[in-house]
Amino acid sequence: MLIIDSKDCENIDKALKKYKKKFEKAKTLLQLRERQAFIKPSIRRRTEVLKAIYKQQINSGKIEQ
């Protein structure tokens, strides 16, 4: 649960902005999206390896963006 410390004289827009920043830093939405569907560990590792290979190819100049 996120708790925002706000002063009495503080604007509601500032408090909402603080809440949104804390919400993003907590990565709650990312966790919810990950939990929507189960991904087997082998498939998760495979996608990580493919991403790493792709990044290496971009850095070496084989693939242009």
Side-chain angles (χ1 to χ4, degrees):
M1 185 166 124
L2 296 174
I3 298 173
I4 307 298
D5 296 329
S6 64
K7 299 169 185 137
D8 293 333
C9 61
E10 191 175 40
N11 191 359
I12 188 72
D13 292 328
K14 287 185 179 182
L16 187 61
K17 190 174 182 179
K18 283 183 184 180
Y19 174 78
K20 286 181 181 180
K21 282 187 179 182
K22 273 194 175 183
F23 187 77
E24 277 188 25
K25 286 183 180 180
K27 298 183 181 180
T28 309
L29 194 58
L30 292 176
Q31 290 175 355
L32 288 174
R33 287 182 180 159
E34 282 180 3
R35 292 179 186 175
Q36 282 182 344
F38 178 74
I39 299 173
K40 290 171 49 176
S42 60
I43 294 175
R44 186 171 287 156
R45 276 194 301 269
R46 188 182 315 146
T47 56
E48 288 177 3
V49 168
L50 290 175
K51 282 182 185 179
I53 291 171
Y54 179 73
K55 285 182 180 180
Q56 280 183 341
Q57 288 176 347
I58 287 178
N59 288 339
S60 66
K62 291 182 181 178
I63 297 176
E64 293 183 17
Q65 291 182 342

Coordinates of all heavy atoms in Angstrom, one line a residue:
M1 N 0.8 -1.2 0.0 CA 0.0 0.0 0.0 C 0.9 1.2 0.0 O 1.8 1.3 0.8 CB -0.9 0.0 1.2 CG -1.9 1.1 1.3 SD -3.1 0.8 2.5 CE -3.0 2.2 3.5
L2 N 0.6 2.2 -0.9 CA 1.3 3.4 -1.0 C 0.8 4.5 0.0 O -0.4 4.7 0.0 CB 1.3 3.9 -2.4 CG 2.0 3.0 -3.4 CD1 1.8 3.6 -4.8 CD2 3.4 2.9 -3.1
I3 N 1.6 5.1 0.7 CA 1.2 6.2 1.6 C 1.9 7.5 1.2 O 3.1 7.5 1.0 CB 1.6 5.9 3.1 CG1 0.8 4.6 3.5 CG2 1.3 7.0 4.0 CD1 1.3 4.1 4.8
I4 N 1.1 8.5 1.0 CA 1.7 9.8 0.6 C 1.5 10.8 1.7 O 0.4 11.0 2.3 CB 0.9 10.3 -0.6 CG1 0.8 9.3 -1.8 CG2 1.5 11.7 -1.1 CD1 2.2 9.0 -2.3
D5 N 2.6 11.3 2.2 CA 2.6 12.3 3.2 C 2.3 13.7 2.6 O 3.1 14.2 1.8 CB 3.9 12.4 4.0 CG 4.2 11.1 4.7 OD1 3.3 10.5 5.1 OD2 5.4 10.8 4.8
S6 N 1.2 14.3 2.9 CA 0.8 15.6 2.3 C 0.5 16.5 3.4 O -0.1 16.2 4.5 CB -0.4 15.4 1.4 OG -1.5 15.0 2.1
K7 N 0.9 17.8 3.2 CA 0.6 18.8 4.1 C -0.8 19.3 3.9 O -1.4 19.2 2.8 CB 1.6 19.9 4.0 CG 3.0 19.4 4.2 CD 4.1 20.5 3.9 CE 5.4 19.9 4.0 NZ 6.3 20.2 2.9
D8 N -1.4 20.0 4.9 CA -2.8 20.5 4.8 C -2.9 21.6 3.7 O -3.9 21.6 2.9 CB -3.2 21.1 6.1 CG -3.4 20.0 7.1 OD1 -3.6 18.9 6.8 OD2 -3.3 20.4 8.3
C9 N -1.8 22.4 3.5 CA -1.9 23.4 2.5 C -1.5 23.0 1.1 O -1.5 23.8 0.2 CB -1.1 24.6 3.0 SG 0.7 24.2 3.2
E10 N -1.1 21.7 1.0 CA -0.6 21.2 -0.3 C -1.7 21.0 -1.3 O -2.8 20.6 -0.9 CB 0.2 19.9 -0.1 CG 1.0 19.5 -1.4 CD 1.8 18.3 -1.1 OE1 1.4 17.4 -0.4 OE2 3.0 18.3 -1.6
N11 N -1.4 21.3 -2.5 CA -2.4 21.2 -3.6 C -2.7 19.7 -3.9 O -1.8 18.9 -3.8 CB -1.9 21.9 -4.9 CG -2.9 22.0 -5.9 OD1 -4.1 21.6 -5.8 ND2 -2.5 22.7 -7.0
I12 N -3.9 19.4 -4.3 CA -4.2 18.0 -4.5 C -3.5 17.5 -5.8 O -3.2 16.3 -5.9 CB -5.8 17.8 -4.7 CG1 -6.2 16.3 -4.8 CG2 -6.3 18.5 -5.9 CD1 -6.0 15.6 -3.5
D13 N -3.2 18.4 -6.7 CA -2.5 18.0 -7.9 C -1.1 17.5 -7.6 O -0.6 16.5 -8.2 CB -2.5 19.1 -8.9 CG -3.8 19.5 -9.5 OD1 -4.6 18.5 -9.6 OD2 -4.1 20.6 -9.8
K14 N -0.4 18.2 -6.7 CA 0.9 17.8 -6.3 C 0.9 16.5 -5.6 O 1.8 15.6 -5.8 CB 1.5 18.9 -5.3 CG 1.9 20.1 -6.1 CD 2.6 21.1 -5.1 CE 3.1 22.4 -5.9 NZ 3.8 23.3 -5.0
A15 N -0.1 16.3 -4.7 CA -0.2 15.0 -4.0 C -0.4 13.8 -5.0 O 0.1 12.8 -4.9 CB -1.3 15.0 -3.0
L16 N -1.3 14.1 -6.0 CA -1.5 13.1 -7.0 C -0.3 12.8 -7.8 O 0.0 11.6 -8.2 CB -2.7 13.6 -7.9 CG -3.2 12.6 -9.0 CD1 -3.8 11.4 -8.2 CD2 -4.2 13.2 -9.8
K17 N 0.5 13.8 -8.1 CA 1.7 13.6 -8.9 C 2.7 12.8 -8.1 O 3.4 11.9 -8.6 CB 2.3 15.0 -9.2 CG 3.5 15.0 -10.1 CD 3.9 16.4 -10.5 CE 5.1 16.4 -11.5 NZ 5.5 17.7 -11.9
K18 N 2.8 13.0 -6.7 CA 3.7 12.2 -5.9 C 3.2 10.8 -5.9 O 4.0 9.9 -5.9 CB 3.6 12.8 -4.4 CG 4.5 14.0 -4.2 CD 4.4 14.4 -2.7 CE 5.1 15.7 -2.4 NZ 5.1 16.0 -1.0
Y19 N 1.9 10.6 -5.8 CA 1.4 9.2 -5.8 C 1.7 8.5 -7.1 O 2.1 7.3 -7.1 CB -0.2 9.2 -5.6 CG -0.8 7.9 -5.8 CD1 -0.7 7.0 -4.7 CD2 -1.4 7.5 -6.9 CE1 -1.3 5.7 -4.8 CE2 -2.0 6.3 -7.1 CZ -1.9 5.4 -6.0 OH -2.5 4.1 -6.2
K20 N 1.6 9.2 -8.2 CA 1.9 8.5 -9.5 C 3.4 8.1 -9.6 O 3.7 7.1 -10.1 CB 1.5 9.5 -10.7 CG 0.0 9.6 -10.9 CD -0.3 10.5 -12.1 CE -1.7 10.7 -12.3 NZ -2.0 11.6 -13.4
K21 N 4.3 9.0 -9.1 CA 5.7 8.7 -9.1 C 6.0 7.5 -8.3 O 6.7 6.6 -8.6 CB 6.5 9.9 -8.7 CG 6.7 11.0 -9.7 CD 7.6 12.0 -9.3 CE 7.8 13.1 -10.4 NZ 8.8 14.1 -10.0
K22 N 5.4 7.5 -7.1 CA 5.6 6.3 -6.2 C 5.1 5.0 -6.8 O 5.7 4.0 -6.6 CB 5.0 6.6 -4.8 CG 5.8 7.3 -3.8 CD 5.3 7.2 -2.4 CE 6.2 7.8 -1.4 NZ 5.8 7.7 -0.1
F23 N 3.9 5.1 -7.4 CA 3.3 4.0 -8.1 C 4.2 3.4 -9.2 O 4.4 2.2 -9.3 CB 1.9 4.4 -8.6 CG 1.1 3.2 -9.2 CD1 0.5 2.4 -8.3 CD2 1.0 3.0 -10.5 CE1 -0.3 1.4 -8.8 CE2 0.3 2.0 -11.0 CZ -0.4 1.1 -10.1
E24 N 4.8 4.3 -10.0 CA 5.7 3.8 -11.0 C 7.0 3.2 -10.4 O 7.5 2.2 -10.9 CB 6.1 5.0 -11.9 CG 5.1 5.3 -13.0 CD 5.6 6.3 -14.0 OE1 6.9 6.5 -14.1 OE2 4.8 7.0 -14.6
K25 N 7.5 3.8 -9.4 CA 8.7 3.3 -8.8 C 8.5 1.9 -8.1 O 9.4 1.1 -8.1 CB 9.3 4.2 -7.7 CG 10.0 5.4 -8.4 CD 10.6 6.3 -7.3 CE 11.2 7.5 -8.0 NZ 11.8 8.4 -7.0
A26 N 7.3 1.7 -7.6 CA 7.0 0.4 -7.0 C 6.8 -0.7 -8.0 O 6.8 -1.9 -7.7 CB 5.7 0.6 -6.1
K27 N 6.6 -0.4 -9.3 CA 6.4 -1.3 -10.4 C 5.2 -2.2 -10.1 O 5.2 -3.4 -10.5 CB 7.7 -2.1 -10.6 CG 8.8 -1.2 -11.1 CD 10.0 -2.0 -11.4 CE 11.2 -1.1 -11.8 NZ 12.4 -1.8 -12.1
T28 N 4.2 -1.7 -9.6 CA 3.0 -2.5 -9.3 C 2.3 -2.9 -10.6 O 1.9 -4.1 -10.7 CB 2.0 -1.7 -8.4 OG1 2.7 -1.2 -7.3 CG2 0.8 -2.6 -7.9
L29 N 2.2 -2.0 -11.5 CA 1.5 -2.3 -12.7 C 2.2 -3.4 -13.5 O 1.6 -4.3 -14.1 CB 1.3 -1.0 -13.6 CG 0.3 -1.1 -14.7 CD1 -1.1 -1.5 -14.2 CD2 0.3 0.2 -15.4
L30 N 3.5 -3.3 -13.6 CA 4.3 -4.3 -14.3 C 4.1 -5.7 -13.7 O 4.0 -6.7 -14.4 CB 5.8 -4.0 -14.3 CG 6.2 -2.7 -15.1 CD1 7.7 -2.5 -14.9 CD2 5.9 -3.0 -16.5
Q31 N 4.1 -5.8 -12.4 CA 3.8 -7.1 -11.7 C 2.5 -7.6 -12.0 O 2.3 -8.8 -12.3 CB 4.0 -6.9 -10.2 CG 5.4 -6.7 -9.7 CD 5.5 -6.4 -8.2 OE1 4.4 -6.3 -7.6 NE2 6.7 -6.3 -7.7
L32 N 1.5 -6.8 -12.1 CA 0.1 -7.2 -12.4 C 0.1 -7.8 -13.8 O -0.6 -8.8 -14.1 CB -0.9 -6.1 -12.3 CG -1.2 -5.7 -10.8 CD1 -2.1 -4.5 -10.8 CD2 -1.9 -6.8 -10.1
R33 N 0.7 -7.1 -14.8 CA 0.7 -7.6 -16.2 C 1.5 -8.9 -16.3 O 1.1 -9.7 -17.1 CB 1.3 -6.5 -17.0 CG 0.4 -5.3 -17.2 CD 1.0 -4.3 -18.2 NE 0.1 -3.2 -18.3 CZ 0.5 -2.0 -18.7 NH1 1.7 -1.7 -19.0 NH2 -0.4 -1.0 -18.8
E34 N 2.5 -9.1 -15.5 CA 3.3 -10.3 -15.6 C 2.4 -11.5 -15.1 O 2.5 -12.6 -15.5 CB 4.6 -10.2 -14.8 CG 5.7 -9.5 -15.4 CD 6.9 -9.4 -14.6 OE1 6.9 -10.0 -13.5 OE2 7.9 -8.8 -15.0
R35 N 1.6 -11.2 -14.1 CA 0.8 -12.3 -13.4 C -0.4 -12.6 -14.2 O -1.1 -13.6 -13.8 CB 0.5 -11.9 -12.0 CG 1.6 -11.8 -11.1 CD 1.2 -11.4 -9.7 NE 2.4 -11.2 -8.9 CZ 2.3 -10.7 -7.7 NH1 1.1 -10.4 -7.1 NH2 3.4 -10.5 -6.9
Q36 N -0.8 -11.9 -15.3 CA -2.0 -12.2 -16.0 C -1.9 -13.6 -16.7 O -2.9 -14.3 -16.8 CB -2.2 -11.1 -17.1 CG -2.8 -9.9 -16.5 CD -3.1 -8.8 -17.6 OE1 -2.6 -8.9 -18.7 NE2 -3.8 -7.8 -17.3
A37 N -0.7 -13.9 -17.1 CA -0.6 -15.2 -17.8 C 0.7 -15.9 -17.3 O 1.7 -15.2 -17.1 CB -0.5 -15.1 -19.3
F38 N 0.7 -17.2 -17.1 CA 1.9 -17.9 -16.7 C 2.8 -18.2 -17.9 O 2.3 -18.6 -19.0 CB 1.5 -19.3 -16.1 CG 2.7 -20.1 -15.7 CD1 3.4 -19.7 -14.5 CD2 3.1 -21.2 -16.4 CE1 4.5 -20.5 -14.1 CE2 4.2 -21.9 -16.0 CZ 4.9 -21.6 -14.9
I39 N 4.1 -17.9 -17.7 CA 5.1 -18.1 -18.7 C 6.1 -19.1 -18.2 O 6.6 -18.9 -17.1 CB 5.8 -16.8 -19.1 CG1 4.8 -15.8 -19.7 CG2 6.9 -17.1 -20.1 CD1 5.4 -14.4 -19.9
K40 N 6.2 -20.2 -18.9 CA 7.2 -21.2 -18.4 C 8.6 -20.6 -18.3 O 9.0 -19.8 -19.1 CB 7.2 -22.4 -19.4 CG 5.9 -23.2 -19.4 CD 5.8 -24.2 -20.5 CE 7.0 -25.1 -20.7 NZ 6.8 -26.1 -21.7
P41 N 9.3 -21.1 -17.3 CA 10.7 -20.6 -17.1 C 11.6 -20.8 -18.3 O 12.4 -19.9 -18.6 CB 11.2 -21.4 -15.9 CG 10.0 -21.8 -15.2 CD 8.9 -22.0 -16.2
S42 N 11.4 -21.9 -19.0 CA 12.3 -22.1 -20.2 C 12.0 -21.1 -21.3 O 12.9 -20.6 -22.0 CB 12.0 -23.5 -20.7 OG 10.7 -23.7 -21.1
I43 N 10.7 -20.7 -21.5 CA 10.4 -19.7 -22.5 C 10.9 -18.4 -22.0 O 11.4 -17.6 -22.8 CB 8.8 -19.7 -22.7 CG1 8.4 -21.0 -23.3 CG2 8.4 -18.5 -23.6 CD1 6.9 -21.2 -23.5
R44 N 10.8 -18.1 -20.7 CA 11.3 -16.8 -20.2 C 12.8 -16.7 -20.5 O 13.3 -15.6 -20.9 CB 11.0 -16.7 -18.7 CG 11.3 -15.3 -18.2 CD 10.8 -15.2 -16.8 NE 9.3 -15.0 -16.8 CZ 8.5 -15.3 -15.8 NH1 9.0 -15.8 -14.7 NH2 7.2 -15.2 -16.0
R45 N 13.5 -17.7 -20.2 CA 15.0 -17.7 -20.4 C 15.3 -17.6 -21.9 O 16.2 -16.8 -22.3 CB 15.6 -19.0 -19.9 CG 15.9 -19.0 -18.5 CD 16.8 -20.2 -18.1 NE 16.3 -21.5 -18.4 CZ 15.5 -22.2 -17.6 NH1 15.3 -21.7 -16.4 NH2 15.0 -23.4 -18.0
R46 N 14.5 -18.2 -22.8 CA 14.8 -18.2 -24.2 C 14.6 -16.7 -24.7 O 15.4 -16.2 -25.5 CB 13.8 -19.1 -24.9 CG 14.1 -19.2 -26.4 CD 13.1 -20.1 -27.1 NE 12.8 -21.3 -26.4 CZ 11.6 -21.9 -26.4 NH1 10.6 -21.4 -27.1 NH2 11.5 -23.1 -25.8
T47 N 13.5 -16.1 -24.2 CA 13.3 -14.7 -24.7 C 14.4 -13.8 -24.2 O 14.8 -12.9 -24.9 CB 12.0 -14.2 -24.2 OG1 11.9 -14.3 -22.8 CG2 10.8 -14.9 -24.8
E48 N 14.9 -14.0 -22.9 CA 16.0 -13.2 -22.4 C 17.3 -13.4 -23.3 O 18.0 -12.4 -23.6 CB 16.3 -13.5 -21.0 CG 15.3 -13.1 -20.0 CD 15.6 -13.5 -18.6 OE1 16.6 -14.1 -18.3 OE2 14.7 -13.2 -17.7
V49 N 17.6 -14.6 -23.7 CA 18.7 -14.9 -24.5 C 18.6 -14.3 -25.9 O 19.5 -13.7 -26.4 CB 18.9 -16.5 -24.6 CG1 20.0 -16.8 -25.7 CG2 19.4 -17.0 -23.3
L50 N 17.4 -14.4 -26.5 CA 17.2 -13.7 -27.8 C 17.3 -12.2 -27.7 O 17.9 -11.6 -28.6 CB 15.8 -14.1 -28.3 CG 15.6 -15.6 -28.7 CD1 14.2 -15.8 -29.1 CD2 16.6 -15.9 -29.9
K51 N 16.9 -11.6 -26.6 CA 17.0 -10.2 -26.4 C 18.5 -9.8 -26.3 O 19.0 -8.8 -26.9 CB 16.3 -9.7 -25.2 CG 14.8 -9.5 -25.4 CD 14.2 -9.0 -24.1 CE 12.7 -9.0 -24.2 NZ 12.1 -8.5 -23.0
A52 N 19.3 -10.6 -25.6 CA 20.7 -10.4 -25.4 C 21.4 -10.5 -26.8 O 22.3 -9.7 -27.1 CB 21.3 -11.3 -24.4
I53 N 21.1 -11.5 -27.6 CA 21.7 -11.7 -28.9 C 21.4 -10.5 -29.8 O 22.2 -9.9 -30.4 CB 21.2 -13.0 -29.5 CG1 21.8 -14.2 -28.8 CG2 21.6 -13.0 -31.0 CD1 21.2 -15.5 -29.2
Y54 N 20.1 -10.0 -29.7 CA 19.7 -8.9 -30.5 C 20.5 -7.6 -30.1 O 21.0 -6.9 -31.0 CB 18.2 -8.7 -30.4 CG 17.7 -7.5 -31.1 CD1 17.5 -7.5 -32.5 CD2 17.3 -6.3 -30.4 CE1 17.0 -6.4 -33.2 CE2 16.7 -5.2 -31.1 CZ 16.6 -5.3 -32.5 OH 16.1 -4.2 -33.2
K55 N 20.7 -7.4 -28.8 CA 21.4 -6.2 -28.4 C 22.9 -6.3 -28.8 O 23.5 -5.3 -29.2 CB 21.3 -6.1 -26.8 CG 20.0 -5.6 -26.4 CD 20.0 -5.5 -24.8 CE 18.6 -5.0 -24.3 NZ 18.6 -4.8 -22.9
Q56 N 23.5 -7.5 -28.7 CA 24.8 -7.6 -29.2 C 25.0 -7.3 -30.7 O 26.0 -6.7 -31.1 CB 25.4 -9.0 -28.9 CG 25.8 -9.2 -27.5 CD 26.3 -10.6 -27.3 OE1 26.1 -11.6 -28.1 NE2 27.0 -10.8 -26.2
Q57 N 24.0 -7.8 -31.5 CA 24.1 -7.5 -32.9 C 23.9 -6.0 -33.2 O 24.6 -5.5 -34.1 CB 23.0 -8.3 -33.6 CG 23.3 -9.8 -33.7 CD 22.2 -10.6 -34.3 OE1 21.1 -10.1 -34.5 NE2 22.4 -11.9 -34.6
I58 N 23.1 -5.3 -32.4 CA 23.0 -3.9 -32.6 C 24.3 -3.2 -32.3 O 24.7 -2.3 -33.0 CB 21.8 -3.4 -31.8 CG1 20.5 -3.8 -32.4 CG2 21.8 -1.8 -31.7 CD1 19.3 -3.3 -31.7
N59 N 24.9 -3.6 -31.2 CA 26.1 -2.9 -30.7 C 27.3 -3.2 -31.7 O 28.1 -2.4 -31.8 CB 26.5 -3.4 -29.3 CG 25.5 -2.8 -28.3 OD1 24.9 -1.8 -28.5 ND2 25.5 -3.5 -27.1
S60 N 27.3 -4.4 -32.3 CA 28.4 -4.7 -33.2 C 28.2 -4.1 -34.6 O 29.1 -4.1 -35.3 CB 28.6 -6.2 -33.3 OG 27.4 -6.8 -33.9
G61 N 27.0 -3.7 -34.9 CA 26.7 -3.0 -36.1 C 26.1 -3.9 -37.2 O 26.0 -3.5 -38.3
K62 N 25.8 -5.1 -36.8 CA 25.2 -6.1 -37.8 C 23.8 -5.7 -38.2 O 23.4 -5.9 -39.3 CB 25.3 -7.5 -37.3 CG 26.7 -8.0 -37.2 CD 26.7 -9.5 -36.7 CE 28.1 -10.0 -36.6 NZ 28.1 -11.4 -36.1
I63 N 23.1 -5.1 -37.2 CA 21.7 -4.7 -37.4 C 21.6 -3.2 -37.2 O 22.1 -2.7 -36.2 CB 20.8 -5.4 -36.4 CG1 20.8 -6.9 -36.7 CG2 19.3 -4.9 -36.6 CD1 19.9 -7.7 -35.7
E64 N 21.0 -2.5 -38.1 CA 20.8 -1.1 -37.9 C 19.3 -0.8 -37.5 O 18.4 -1.5 -37.9 CB 21.0 -0.4 -39.2 CG 22.5 -0.4 -39.7 CD 22.7 0.4 -40.9 OE1 21.9 1.2 -41.3 OE2 23.8 0.2 -41.6
Q65 N 19.2 0.2 -36.6 CA 17.8 0.5 -36.1 C 17.1 1.3 -37.1 O 17.3 2.1 -37.8 CB 17.9 1.2 -34.8 CG 18.4 0.3 -33.7 CD 18.4 1.1 -32.4 OE1 18.4 2.3 -32.3 NE2 18.5 0.3 -31.3

